Amino acid sequence: MQAETEKGAGTTAGGERTVEEIGLGFAELLALLALHGGPSTEGTAELLGLLDYADIPEVLSAGASALVARGFADVGGSGELLVEGPVAGIATALGDAERRMNLTLESPAFSDRIVLLEAPGVAVLMRPRAYGTWWALPQRADLPPAEATLQLVAGHLGEQPRGRVLVERHGVGQGYALSVRRADDGGWLLGVKIPDSAEIPEDPGDDVVLLTALRAVRND
């Protein structure tokens, strides 16, 4: 239920180095969700595939113990769990996310995911690992969120030019996703994936058109 922490060794979908990337197991994430208890707790647990374990006391206890053992949390005088720094930011994003974006990264050889959690004052990027483990790292603070999402899309398609990115806002327009592929001329091919439909009609667009489409999906 635990994962390691890597400092200065993580990469985003665009291949950029990150300052710190924290690996958290499903029990630790559930403990942080229970700690904050914000309005997005249930939706975030569902998106991360944790909802079935959210009300199991033994799992929450194991997660809290793991956070303390790894130095990510302390126990207060009344037995409460205390977090600060990056882990406190993750807890805020988990519990208070006003926007949850699910990006499906496709290529001819694999499919992967990125989950973006955006709460007031904090935005966290989540990448799934094995056995319910997730990497968590802060999004770039020097870019507006939609522009940061565009960089993630462009980064994946720069590495996988025959791939696709599906961008969906969790809980809004469920099942409908913006489809983005790289065009032969260096631009973009944009479409909308409709539930239960295999075909995605596409139209060409440049960075401005893609950014506008991303803002629409995000409901900016």
Side-chain angles (χ1 to χ4, degrees):
M1 291 184 292
Q2 299 181 33
E4 66 272 31
T5 301
E6 293 188 0
K7 295 185 178 180
T11 58
T12 68
E16 297 176 346
R17 305 290 284 184
T18 61
V19 176
E20 181 172 306
E21 195 171 40
I22 298 176
L24 297 166
F26 75 89
E28 293 169 322
L29 287 167
L30 285 168
L32 292 176
L33 280 163
L35 167 69
H36 198 281
S40 78
T41 297
E42 183 174 342
T44 301
E46 178 189 30
L47 180 57
L48 298 180
L50 307 173
L51 197 56
D52 290 344
Y53 305 94
D55 297 322
I56 302 177
E58 292 82 2
V59 173
L60 297 177
S61 177
S65 297
L67 290 169
V68 173
R70 299 174 65 199
F72 289 158
D74 291 314
V75 179
S78 302
E80 72 276 18
L81 198 66
L82 304 174
V83 295
E84 60 182 17
V87 177
I90 293 170
T92 297
L94 290 168
D96 266 348
E98 295 178 343
R99 181 180 286 104
R100 298 185 296 270
M101 302 299 300
N102 188 51
L103 278 64
T104 303
L105 313 178
E106 298 179 350
S107 83
F110 69 86
S111 179
D112 203 352
R113 289 177 68 200
I114 289 178
V115 169
L116 305 177
L117 304 176
E118 300 176 12
V122 61
V124 173
L125 183 154
M126 308 283 294
R127 295 193 298 125
R129 307 298 287 178
Y131 305 110
T133 296
W134 288 79
W135 290 110
L137 65 153
Q139 289 193 74
R140 288 181 55 178
D142 60 335
L143 280 178
E147 281 82 348
T149 303
L150 189 152
Q151 284 208 348
L152 290 172
V153 171
H156 172 69
L157 295 178
E159 295 173 356
Q160 303 291 335
R162 295 175 57 201
R164 181 193 306 273
V165 180
L166 298 173
V167 184
E168 179 181 359
R169 180 168 178 180
H170 182 251
V172 178
Q174 200 73 12
Y176 291 81
L178 173 68
S179 168
V180 186
R181 293 196 304 125
R182 174 66 75 180
D184 292 338
D185 63 2
W188 309 105
L189 294 173
L190 308 179
V192 176
K193 183 180 182 298
I194 299 174
D196 302 321
S197 176
E199 300 213 1
I200 304 176
E202 295 175 319
D203 293 308
D206 57 14
D207 283 355
V208 174
V209 173
L210 173 55
L211 186 59
T212 299
L214 289 171
R215 286 174 174 153
V217 175
R218 290 170 44 83
N219 296 109
D220 282 349

